[in-house]
Amino acid sequence: MRCPFCENLDTKVIDSRPTEEGHAIRRRRECEVCGKRFTTYEKVEENIIMIVKKDGRREAFDRNKILNGIVKACEKRPVAFADMEKIVDDIEKKINYSMSKEVESNDVGELIMEALKDLDEVAYVRFASVYRQFTDVNTFVKEIEKLIGNK
């Protein structure tokens, strides 16, 4: 770590401890040339993941937007809020593990639908009807037939 006073590259860590929030490490350092002390903070660099929409627009990944869609799909269903949050956590982990800076919105929608299919079939059909933009009853019936056929 470069000394901010004399620009020397040789510094040593005197003390190291986590910050109060636990999201960073605070380090007291001392320059081995000029002897001055200074503080540095080390934290994990967070990736900003961009979602590529169908029309080509890009927006930052927003877990609350996903959670709101799942909550609406599960409205008046016997689904615990913790289960809905777990779906969002799992999707966020999958997206982060992909190591991609950009993710297609279609891929996120498919991950949500796959999770809802296992959680609650009615919520799955509700979400699918909006996500896949069902235009008529026949499309709706075909989706339900696919769901029944997978059992």
Side-chain angles (χ1 to χ4, degrees):
M1 178 63 66
R2 185 180 303 271
C3 173
F5 305 104
C6 70
E7 304 272 323
N8 178 47
L9 287 174
D10 294 324
T11 61
K12 64 180 178 182
V13 175
I14 299 169
D15 182 41
S16 183
R17 64 180 70 166
T19 59
E20 288 180 24
E21 304 87 35
H23 296 293
I25 304 274
R26 178 185 180 271
R27 300 194 194 283
R28 283 294 293 159
R29 296 179 177 270
E30 182 177 47
C31 177
E32 297 192 346
V33 172
C34 71
K36 293 196 177 180
R37 294 182 176 187
F38 59 98
T39 302
T40 61
Y41 292 89
E42 179 182 320
K43 67 178 189 170
V44 174
E45 183 178 355
E46 294 183 23
N47 290 336
I48 296 176
I49 297 168
M50 298 303 287
I51 303 298
V52 181
K53 307 298 265 178
K54 291 176 186 174
D55 63 2
R57 289 180 299 118
R58 285 162 171 72
E59 62 181 49
F61 175 81
D62 183 359
R63 64 176 283 120
N64 289 328
K65 198 169 181 180
I66 293 172
L67 183 61
N68 288 339
I70 292 171
V71 166
K72 283 182 182 172
C74 294
E75 196 171 341
K76 297 182 182 179
R77 297 295 305 153
V79 178
F81 189 74
D83 292 337
M84 294 181 230
E85 286 183 316
K86 183 173 180 345
I87 289 174
V88 179
D89 290 342
D90 292 345
I91 290 170
E92 191 170 19
K93 282 179 191 172
K94 286 177 184 174
I95 291 172
N96 283 325
Y97 289 156
S98 75
M99 300 298 287
S100 179
K101 297 277 186 193
E102 293 187 339
V103 178
E104 298 284 331
S105 61
N106 290 341
D107 296 339
V108 176
E110 292 299 325
L111 289 172
I112 294 168
M113 287 184 40
E114 195 62 38
L116 284 175
K117 189 185 292 186
D118 296 336
L119 183 66
D120 186 272
E121 292 174 345
V122 173
Y124 165 79
V125 172
R126 285 178 179 170
F127 187 86
S129 70
V130 174
Y131 173 70
R132 294 216 171 116
Q133 299 175 342
F134 292 170
T135 53
D136 57 20
V137 176
N138 291 332
T139 316
F140 196 80
V141 171
K142 285 178 188 174
E143 190 67 33
I144 292 174
E145 286 173 348
K146 277 198 285 185
L147 187 63
I148 292 170
N150 287 336
K151 285 190 172 188

